[in-house]
Amino acid sequence: MTPKSETQSNPQSGPQSEATASFGYREVPEAEKAPLVREVFESVARRYDLMNDFMSGGVHRIWKNTLIHKLAPRPGMKLLDVAGGTGDISFRFLDRLKGKEGGASATVCDMTAGMLEEGRRRAEAQHREGLAWVCGDAMALPFPDRSFDAYTISFGIRNVTRIEQALSEAYRVLKPGGRFFCLEFSPVETPVFDKVYDWYSFNVIPRIGEVVTGDRDSYQYLVESIRKFPDRRRFARMIEAAGFSRVEWMDMSAGVVALHGGWRL
């Protein structure tokens, strides 16, 4: 063991290095990640949903419908949809309850103003009601404790600087008996298919992004961020560590996407 006095007198000992976070394959100071992510989504906001159709061949609609089916919306339910920008999940949630007595409400929370503006524009064009739009950070949600019956986050948690903190916030704002769902790309583990998927991700998706949105770099980041995200088992343990019970997941599309769920009991 190095004596304390020796450690203090060592001229080469510098201050503790600043915490970093992954931004795709780059490591950046934690304070820089959120602005960089915000810049990505501001750039692609207007064509974000169109790109989802191109990248997944429209299959993202099935993934999102599966989430709503698992959530089982009921009248009077209050949903918080984090990183929900353009409203895809919230719209599906409210559609499931259309015409039923008791109504329901959905709050879309996203840190990117451009994504929220696109969501509002879509909601107004479709004459939708029961929606609130809030600009906020998943790691510091601007809502009181035990405010919502359900929390969803779709293809957004991998962009959060500190995932554990976002999960703790999800637990905090849910009522006892509340449901947590996270839909996210997951590292593919199927032999052979994993190589095909990697080739498609790195060679095709950025090119589509360049053609459709004029922004190749943002989609290069999005592809890289998937590879940096924890595998489904490790992520399940993280959800449990945040306090959630009965945590489980299901794979979809040969493991390209995983839907994790848990309860606040």
Side-chain angles (χ1 to χ4, degrees):
M1 179 180 294
T2 303
K4 184 177 180 182
S5 59
E6 182 179 331
T7 302
Q8 290 176 331
S9 62
N10 187 345
Q12 295 183 357
S13 295
Q16 186 174 2
S17 60
E18 183 179 359
T20 62
S22 63
F23 180 75
Y25 287 162
R26 293 164 49 197
E27 286 295 313
V28 299
E30 275 195 351
E32 292 183 11
K33 178 167 180 175
L36 287 169
V37 170
R38 192 178 299 113
E39 184 178 333
V40 165
F41 286 96
E42 290 285 2
S43 173
V44 303
R46 289 304 300 268
R47 301 210 166 187
Y48 178 76
D49 292 311
L50 179 61
M51 267 302 295
N52 284 341
D53 280 328
F54 274 111
M55 287 190 300
S56 71
V59 178
H60 74 99
R61 300 171 185 271
I62 297 173
W63 301 333
K64 292 168 182 174
N65 288 339
T66 301
L67 185 161
I68 295 298
H69 175 73
K70 286 284 190 178
L71 177 59
R74 64 180 186 274
M77 184 180 261
K78 294 179 64 177
L79 169 70
L80 175 62
D81 184 26
V82 176
T86 59
D88 255 10
I89 296 299
S90 294
F91 293 175
R92 284 172 167 78
F93 168 78
L94 293 173
D95 286 347
R96 186 66 66 92
L97 294 167
K98 191 176 294 182
K100 295 184 179 180
E101 292 184 6
S105 65
T107 299
V108 181
C109 181
D110 199 294
M111 72 171 183
T112 305
M115 294 287 281
L116 289 170
E117 289 169 8
E118 181 65 13
R120 283 196 196 95
R121 185 190 65 77
R122 291 179 62 199
E124 290 171 1
Q126 297 172 25
H127 307 288
R128 291 183 173 274
E129 298 179 349
L131 286 156
W133 305 86
V134 177
C135 196
D137 188 339
M139 298 189 303
L141 294 170
F143 309 107
D145 296 355
R146 305 183 177 193
S147 300
F148 297 94
D149 301 297
Y151 173 112
T152 56
I153 182 166
S154 300
F155 307 113
I157 203 162
R158 75 181 187 281
N159 300 308
V160 173
T161 304
R162 292 188 295 277
I163 293 173
E164 294 89 347
Q165 189 169 331
L167 292 171
S168 293
E169 279 291 275
Y171 186 87
R172 179 184 67 80
V173 301
L174 278 171
K175 299 175 184 178
R179 304 291 305 275
F180 166 89
F181 284 102
C182 178
L183 185 63
E184 188 54 88
F185 291 110
S186 191
V188 172
E189 299 176 349
T190 306
V192 180
F193 181 64
D194 59 346
K195 293 180 174 56
V196 174
Y197 180 59
D198 276 349
W199 178 86
Y200 174 78
S201 297
F202 287 100
N203 291 279
V204 177
I205 289 178
R207 291 180 185 176
I208 295 174
E210 185 174 18
V211 171
V212 176
T213 71
D215 186 346
R216 181 189 182 96
D217 291 344
S218 289
Y219 284 93
Q220 182 70 32
Y221 155 72
L222 291 173
V223 168
E224 292 174 2
S225 69
I226 296 168
R227 302 314 187 277
K228 298 293 288 185
F229 190 68
D231 67 49
R232 52 197 47 76
R233 297 166 192 83
R234 181 181 161 206
F235 185 51
R237 292 194 295 271
M238 293 168 72
I239 297 169
E240 290 173 340
F244 289 100
S245 301
R246 296 166 57 185
V247 175
E248 58 184 5
W249 76 85
M250 63 177 293
D251 289 333
M252 292 184 280
S253 299
V256 170
V257 164
L259 174 61
H260 284 75
W263 294 77
R264 173 173 180 168
L265 300 180

